[in-house]
Amino acid sequence: MLQALLLILCFGQAVTPPEVRSHVTIFDTKTGKQKVVATLEGRYEAPNWSPDGRWLILNHGGSLYRLAAQGGKPERIDTGRVERINNDHGISPDGKELVISAGQMFVLPFAGGTPRQVTSLTPSYFHGWSPDGRRLAYCAKRGDNFDLYDIAVEGGEERRLTTHAGYDDGPDYTPDGKWIWFNSDRAGTWDLWRIPAEGAGVNDGRAERMTKDEREDWFPHPSPDGRKIVFLSFLPGTKGHPANQTVQLKMLETERPGPAVVLAEFFGGQGTINVNSWARDSRRFAFVRYELR
C-alpha cells in the first residue's frame, strides 16, 4: 500500500532508496519449481494474472503495465488522467476491466482508457474483486484507523466490514464469495484472519484468526478453486510490509488443516505479491523477487 520508493530525509539530505532489478517469477505449486519470465530494470510490483492466462498486470513508477505471461517487454496501459498508481490493482472476474488505486479507486477497461472514479473518500486501497463481479473490497483509513470496506463497482455508499481498533489490510475474497481473508495486527502480531463477506458483525464477533506464529503474515490470496491460500511472511517484529527484506512465500491448504508450508525464501517484500496473482488453473501464481544493483 505505502510506496517504498519515497525519499528519506537523513541529516538534512535526501537519500534515495537503492535501485533494484525485478524478477517476475511464476511458481508451480505442483512441482515446486520457479520460472523467471522477465527480468526488468527498476521496481515492478504486484502482478495480477488475467483470467484468459495471457497477461500479467504490474505497476511501475506510478503507471500500469501489461506483460505477456510468457515474458517479453512490458507495455504501458493508458490510464488517462490518473497517475501515481500504486500496487493495489486488480482484474475483474470476466477479464474486461481493471481497478486501480491512486488515493481513490478507479475502474477502467482492461485495454486501457478513461478511468471512472468509484470511491469518494481517500485513502482507499483496493485488494479484492468479488467473484460475482459486483463489489470491491479494500483497506481504508477513516478517522485514525485502517479497517476493511467494500463498495459496489458502480460506486455509491461504502460499507464498513470491520471495526476493531487494530490495523486491517489486504482483503481478498474466496471464490465462492462467502469469505474475505485479510491480515491484521489486532492480536498483537500480523496474522491472517477471515470474516464473512457481508462483514465481521457486532464488535467483529465473526472474525476468525487463521494463522498464529512468530512471523508477520500479510496479503492472503485464495486460489480460484478455493483449496489454497498463498501469502507473504516477514521476519518476526517487522513493522508494516517494507521493501528489500528477506521474506517467505507460504501456503495453507484449506482442505488439510495444519501449519502453513514454506514455498520459497528470497529478497522481496513490498511489491512481491500485494494482490491476487493466481492463474485460473489454481496451480501457478506470479510474484516478484528483487535484486539490488
Side-chain angles (χ1 to χ4, degrees), residues 5-266:
L5 298 183
L6 295 174
L7 293 181
I8 302 172
L9 293 180
C10 180
F11 303 112
Q13 295 180 338
V15 179
T16 58
E19 294 183 345
V20 299
R21 183 174 291 117
S22 301
H23 301 284
V24 183
T25 308
I26 304 300
F27 192 97
D28 187 319
T29 61
K30 185 174 183 179
T31 66
K33 293 182 178 179
Q34 302 178 40
K35 180 182 179 181
V36 176
V37 296
T39 295
L40 308 171
E41 296 301 322
R43 186 176 294 276
Y44 285 77
E45 299 182 311
N48 306 120
W49 206 322
S50 64
D52 62 9
R54 296 178 59 196
W55 303 102
L56 299 175
I57 303 299
L58 305 99
N59 61 286
H60 166 65
S63 297
L64 205 63
Y65 288 83
R66 179 189 302 110
L67 174 71
Q70 69 272 18
K73 183 179 180 180
E75 305 169 3
R76 188 178 182 277
I77 298 173
D78 176 21
T79 58
R81 63 181 177 81
V82 179
E83 300 175 341
R84 301 183 69 181
I85 297 165
N86 71 5
N87 48 36
D88 301 325
H89 46 74
I91 307 174
S92 61
D94 62 10
K96 295 181 179 179
E97 294 181 301
L98 299 170
V99 59
I100 54 179
S101 303
Q104 302 287 1
M105 286 162 39
F106 303 83
V107 170
L108 67 153
F110 181 83
T114 303
R116 172 179 56 82
Q117 186 171 326
V118 177
T119 51
S120 60
L121 299 176
T122 187
S124 300
Y125 302 104
F126 166 83
H127 276 278
W129 203 313
S130 66
D132 62 9
R134 298 174 61 183
R135 300 192 72 81
L136 305 172
Y138 54 104
C139 167
K141 186 177 184 181
R142 304 291 182 256
D144 59 357
N145 197 53
F146 278 95
D147 286 293
L148 305 186
Y149 295 79
D150 75 349
I151 194 170
V153 172
E154 296 78 17
E157 186 176 353
E158 66 182 13
R159 177 173 60 175
R160 188 172 182 175
L161 302 178
T162 61
T163 59
H164 194 279
Y167 191 140
D168 300 335
D169 203 344
D172 202 358
Y173 292 90
T174 55
D176 59 10
K178 294 180 179 180
W179 297 95
I180 291 175
W181 283 65
F182 65 104
N183 56 274
S184 177
D185 68 351
R186 59 177 60 202
T189 59
W190 289 101
D191 296 293
L192 303 188
W193 294 71
R194 72 175 187 175
I195 57 171
E198 63 269 21
V202 178
N203 297 323
D204 279 18
R206 302 179 73 186
E208 300 179 23
R209 189 178 185 180
M210 307 305 290
T211 62
K212 184 179 181 181
D213 58 32
E214 72 280 4
R215 295 183 65 91
E216 313 296 342
D217 298 335
W218 280 78
F219 304 134
H221 302 304
S223 59
D225 63 7
R227 296 179 178 177
K228 307 178 189 75
I229 306 290
V230 67
F231 61 98
L232 190 63
S233 186
F234 291 83
L235 288 169
T238 302
K239 304 299 182 183
H241 50 101
N244 303 334
Q245 306 287 309
T246 298
V247 295
Q248 294 178 346
L249 281 174
K250 301 175 77 172
M251 188 173 71
L252 287 168
E253 294 194 39
T254 58
E255 296 181 352
R256 297 181 182 178
V261 175
V262 178
L263 300 178
E265 185 171 282
F266 53 91

